[in-house]
Amino acid sequence: MPQDEKNSQPQKRRGRPPKQQQTPGGQNGGQKNGQTNNQNSGPKNSVKIQDATVPAAAAQNRQSTPAKRSKPSRQRQTEPLRVAFMGGLNEVGKNMTLYEFKGERIAVDCGLAFPDQDMPGVDLVIPDFTYLEENYESIRGVVITHGHEDHIGALPYLLKRVNVPVYSAKLTLGLIRGKLKEHKLLDKTKLIEIKPGDTIELGGFHVEAIHVNHSIPDSLALAITCGAGTVVQTGDFKIDTTPIDGDMIDFSSFARYGKKGVLALLSDSTNAERPGYTMSEHKVGESFDTLFRRAGNRRLLVATFSSNVHRVQQIIEVAYQLGRKVALLGRSLENVVSVGMELGYLRVPEGLLISIDMIHRYTPEQVVIITTGSQGEPMSALTRMAFSDHRKVEIGPQDCVIISATPIPGNEKTVGRVINELLKLGAQVVYEKMYDVHVSGHACQEELKILMGLVRPKYFIPVHGEQKHLVKHAALAQSMGIHPHNIMIADNGVQLELSHGEMKVGEQVQAGPVFVDGYGVGDVGSTVLRDRKHLAQDGIIIVAVSIDRVSGKILSGPDIVSKGFVYVKESGDLMQEARETAIRCIEDCRGRSRRDWNTMRGRLREDISRLMYERTRRSPIVVPMLLEG
């Protein structure tokens, strides 16, 4: 395992802007006194993007322009900063942004998304890394804002193809190490720890880490400075005045950059539709205390996101106060708790945690089980318990289940089904709409406006969200005085060119979803998914027949096999008609060209398909199997 150097940290530069100069150090860039854990390694035209017509360039906006700055040099006017969106736009998850200036590139985040119902058999969805692989020599590093899966989950798949250094905070790197160890990449990867206030130099980029509040510790925003100006990317954030870890969002750093002048702001749009402010995480702790006391003699099960370290900490604290033991259920949850305890982000009293195998030694009122599955994932612990399919935990009337999460868009039905099944088993179920058992980790409208007011960007680009979130966030920016011509709603694959004179759409880059299915990465494409959905909807018919290679006569068969189409024993007449149709088709083809097997297969597929549609109004996949005898 790589070892961190203990004798240095990245140098802090709070009093003045970083120098605009090329940093020596070759492909991987550099960091002043940085830690490493492995030594080896204009025109007013419009552009229509995703059904939204958005100005590509704009005039100077006095309301959104910060204090007077010196006139930019001719070089700065002719050298734009290019920002390419590899994921995270018009979708929830898969966040990744690529910055390029003077031929050097850095990436921010490398996340995954989880498959929806239109992706049968797919395990994960990751960004397309082709463009990064083609420009491997110019990439100076990847900077990660925080440790959620939609920001770190695809990192191992990138590092298998492009071995570049990774920069992030302590907890985030701890979670990344676990992933890299699984993929046997840990010893090959250069991981560099940074802290809020640190500035790292990656080629011609100077990146300052800024502390923000989110639902996981060590969350960062980034101020990315190059010769074209400064871009602030917020990452996921909210404004919590009473955070669990005691550290509020660093308003002063945002204001400092706003005073100097910010070229563009890329801001989290997840909660752009919600008015007001996001509640503090402390509100959930109060709800847990109330609900745990009301549970009385019931056993408690709390489902939450495995990476929500603050939520887990509050559950542990309330359980300890009430004299209950805590058991963990779910591999990802166990990993996060282990890393959190090891790095000091989780404070767990000695003897409080017990193995899930030991819960039967205690009475129901002595136990709290923290579990995964708050989104109704089919293979999660909570779902298996709800359908009485878990080997170690059986749900019954003695249980109180608290679902401490809000369904991600698209998961409402699966979560509702899990709740219904739990209720059928007699359990008491508490979920987000009933009590304050969940608060978001993302900023609502008033918080988004506060940040815009501090940063005062010339250009505004909403990120991290579906189209409705991006459009709403853009409207908020306009209400804050940012001219519509200075606001861009982009899409994955769009590359923007930013300079002091204009913001315009540049050359498109290759960016799209890549599906991970088991060990296969990218081998499941649109054609395979279409076939899978076809199979799921209509099933398959296999026509197997053995034919003499010389005479072309049928030696055996045809045998008709139905899978997912009709029940053969109850559809004898249809199967017999299919056999007769297959025989006529083969005899007809034999009389014309006995050796043209492709023609025979095509005719069989066409004739059987027509028959099945006429009889059932369904279109199963027909697979002819011709065997030479």
Side-chain angles (χ1 to χ4, degrees), residues 15-47:
R16 62 176 182 229
K19 296 178 181 178
Q20 304 298 321
Q21 62 182 12
Q22 176 80 18
T23 301
Q27 175 183 325
N28 290 335
Q31 177 188 9
K32 289 196 173 183
N33 299 327
Q35 283 185 321
T36 67
N37 70 337
N38 192 332
Q39 299 296 325
N40 299 323
S41 296
K44 295 184 180 180
N45 60 309
S46 294
V47 179

Side-chain angles (χ1 to χ4, degrees), residues 48-352:
K48 189 171 183 179
I49 302 177
Q50 194 71 0
D51 298 328
T53 303
V54 183
Q60 184 77 13
N61 174 21
R62 295 183 182 273
Q63 290 179 315
S64 63
T65 304
K68 288 185 178 180
R69 299 186 294 266
S70 60
K71 185 177 179 180
S73 66
R74 185 176 301 276
Q75 179 68 16
R76 289 179 66 182
Q77 291 177 330
T78 57
E79 287 288 341
L81 168 65
R82 294 178 175 86
V83 184
F85 300 97
M86 312 305 295
L89 298 185
N90 290 295
E91 61 184 351
V92 176
K94 200 159 63 66
N95 299 293
M96 189 175 194
T97 310
L98 191 65
Y99 293 86
E100 177 194 351
F101 183 69
K102 288 186 177 181
E104 294 182 304
R105 295 174 172 87
I106 63 170
V108 173
D109 291 330
C110 186
L112 57 77
F114 293 102
D116 56 34
Q117 295 179 345
D118 293 330
M119 303 174 186
V122 174
D123 298 323
L124 306 169
V125 186
I126 63 175
D128 188 340
F129 299 129
T130 303
Y131 183 71
L132 284 85
E133 196 169 12
E134 291 172 352
N135 296 279
Y136 164 67
E137 295 295 333
S138 68
I139 300 174
R140 301 294 175 253
V142 180
V143 187
I144 305 295
T145 59
H146 65 280
H148 281 156
E149 288 292 321
D150 58 334
H151 291 258
I152 68 171
L155 196 54
Y157 300 97
L158 172 65
L159 294 174
K160 287 177 182 178
R161 303 173 66 177
V162 180
N163 187 9
V164 294
V166 179
Y167 300 80
S168 196
K170 187 176 181 180
L171 177 61
T172 307
L173 289 184
L175 298 173
I176 289 172
R177 284 190 184 94
K179 291 184 172 295
L180 298 184
K181 188 175 182 180
E182 259 185 57
H183 288 261
K184 296 179 173 58
L185 293 170
L186 186 56
D187 293 331
K188 305 174 185 177
T189 305
K190 188 176 183 181
L191 302 176
I192 301 95
E193 181 183 330
I194 58 177
K195 295 179 180 179
D198 291 345
T199 297
I200 56 176
E201 298 181 359
L202 304 175
F205 292 95
H206 303 259
V207 183
E208 180 178 347
I210 303 173
H211 174 72
V212 295
N213 301 131
H214 189 40
S215 55
I216 187 172
D218 275 357
S219 295
L220 304 173
L222 303 174
I224 302 167
T225 302
C226 64
T230 297
V231 173
V232 173
Q233 183 162 347
T234 66
D236 290 352
F237 82 100
K238 71 175 182 179
I239 297 174
D240 192 341
T241 57
T242 57
I244 300 300
D245 57 12
D247 294 325
M248 276 185 61
I249 186 172
D250 185 0
F251 286 126
S252 61
S253 290
F254 287 112
R256 172 164 48 87
Y257 277 99
K259 187 175 181 180
K260 293 176 186 175
V262 171
L263 183 64
L265 172 64
L266 280 65
S267 184
D268 175 19
S269 306
T270 307
N271 275 352
E273 293 180 301
R274 297 187 181 184
Y277 299 85
T278 302
M279 287 193 301
S280 171
E281 185 68 27
H282 267 296
K283 186 67 177 178
V284 179
E286 296 170 7
S287 296
F288 282 152
D289 185 77
T290 301
L291 291 169
F292 281 25
R293 293 180 188 278
R294 286 182 184 175
N297 295 330
R298 291 176 180 267
R299 182 174 61 180
L300 285 160
L301 295 93
V302 185
T304 188
F305 291 109
S306 60
S307 57
N308 197 332
V309 176
H310 291 151
R311 191 74 45 85
V312 173
Q313 180 67 64
Q314 293 189 98
I315 297 170
I316 287 172
E317 289 174 357
V318 177
Y320 179 70
Q321 291 170 10
L322 299 180
R324 289 178 179 254
K325 298 292 186 181
V326 176
L328 306 176
L329 197 54
R331 182 184 173 192
S332 59
L333 178 64
E334 293 172 2
N335 290 339
V336 170
V337 170
S338 176
V339 172
M341 292 174 62
E342 180 183 345
L343 299 179
Y345 290 89
L346 273 173
R347 301 173 301 278
V348 182
E350 188 175 352
L352 182 70

Side-chain angles (χ1 to χ4, degrees), residues 323-541:
R324 289 178 179 254
K325 298 292 186 181
V326 176
L328 306 176
L329 197 54
R331 182 184 173 192
S332 59
L333 178 64
E334 293 172 2
N335 290 339
V336 170
V337 170
S338 176
V339 172
M341 292 174 62
E342 180 183 345
L343 299 179
Y345 290 89
L346 273 173
R347 301 173 301 278
V348 182
E350 188 175 352
L352 182 70
L353 286 181
I354 61 172
S355 166
I356 196 66
D357 297 314
M358 297 176 60
I359 59 174
H360 299 295
R361 301 182 185 181
Y362 299 87
T363 58
E365 66 270 17
Q366 293 177 312
V367 176
V368 175
I369 299 174
I370 309 177
T371 180
T372 56
S374 61
Q375 295 301 307
E377 302 94 325
M379 297 306 294
S380 68
L382 184 63
T383 300
R384 286 185 285 132
M385 286 186 284
F387 287 88
S388 302
D389 192 33
H390 199 280
R391 294 182 293 112
K392 297 182 178 181
V393 181
E394 184 176 341
I395 299 293
Q398 81 282 0
D399 292 313
C400 174
V401 181
I402 301 173
I403 301 179
S404 182
T406 299
I408 293 172
N411 290 353
E412 294 88 354
K413 287 187 177 180
T414 55
V415 174
R417 189 180 68 208
V418 169
I419 292 172
N420 289 331
E421 293 299 322
L422 291 169
L423 291 170
K424 289 178 184 178
L425 295 173
Q428 177 185 352
V429 184
V430 178
Y431 46 98
E432 188 257 347
K433 293 180 181 178
M434 300 168 61
Y435 298 94
D436 294 326
V437 293
H438 175 70
V439 297
S440 177
H442 302 270
C444 289
Q445 291 179 359
E446 296 306 312
E447 298 158 88
L448 296 173
K449 291 194 288 185
I450 287 173
L451 194 73
M452 284 186 218
L454 288 171
V455 175
R456 296 188 294 168
K458 179 173 184 179
Y459 303 121
F460 178 73
I461 306 163
V463 294
H464 300 178
E466 299 174 357
Q467 182 74 7
K468 60 180 181 178
H469 304 127
L470 305 181
V471 170
K472 191 67 176 180
H473 203 175
L476 284 177
Q478 189 172 345
S479 73
M480 290 290 292
I482 300 179
H483 197 282
H485 286 178
N486 286 11
I487 301 170
M488 177 68 76
I489 300 175
D491 198 359
N492 294 334
V494 169
Q495 182 171 231
L496 301 181
E497 296 184 1
L498 308 178
S499 66
H500 288 274
E502 64 177 352
M503 171 173 59
K504 65 179 182 179
V505 177
E507 182 181 350
Q508 190 89 357
V509 300
Q510 183 170 336
V514 171
F515 304 121
V516 178
D517 186 357
Y519 290 116
V521 179
D523 56 350
V524 175
S526 58
T527 302
V528 174
L529 281 182
R530 186 170 60 248
D531 287 344
R532 289 182 178 183
K533 286 186 277 189
H534 192 174
L535 285 168
Q537 293 168 357
D538 298 305
I540 185 171
I541 291 288

Side-chain angles (χ1 to χ4, degrees), residues 549-561:
R549 71 176 64 185
V550 178
S551 65
K553 293 183 178 181
I554 297 175
L555 299 178
S556 65
D559 295 322
I560 311 296
V561 180

